[in-house]
Amino acid sequence: MINANTNTGDLNLLFHPAAHYAFPGDVLSDNRLSVPEKRIILSSWASDMYAVESCPALREIPGIGHTIRLADILAALRKLDGDDDDPPRPGGLAMRLRRSA
């Protein structure tokens, strides 16, 4: 009879990340995770599935006792891409046309 190794090691981190991380920065600073693994966790947190019904800019992740701002999750994802700049301000051509009128 062959004994299967039931030691899951760090797999639990990927299947239940909320049990191990409270903030997007915690995911970024965990050196045990690869960049793709960090992206998977953060992308899942950004999912509309976790959006707070009355406030879509917040996410309520199961296992975390507080809400997380979507902007913080997206900023962490941008850091993974090497883009630490803030997102562009809303506006654009329509805003410029209105001011000049």
Side-chain angles (χ1 to χ4, degrees), residues 19-60:
H20 301 280
Y21 306 105
F23 298 97
D26 296 343
V27 176
L28 290 179
S29 64
D30 189 339
N31 294 328
R32 296 174 295 170
L33 296 174
S34 68
V35 170
E37 290 167 333
K38 292 175 183 182
R39 189 176 315 283
I40 288 169
I41 292 169
L42 293 169
S43 296
S44 72
W45 286 6
S47 167
D48 286 342
M49 173 175 56
Y50 298 125
V52 175
E53 188 173 330
S54 61
C55 192
L58 295 177
R59 295 297 185 260
E60 215 166 37

Side-chain angles (χ1 to χ4, degrees), residues 3-4 7 10 13-14 24 28 35 49 52 58-59 61 68 74-75 80 84 88 93-94:
N3 270 340
N7 180 8
D10 288 341
L13 285 175
L14 294 176
L28 290 179
V35 170
M49 173 175 56
V52 175
L58 295 177
R59 295 297 185 260
I61 314 299
I68 298 177
L74 296 177
L80 286 177
D84 291 340
L93 181 60

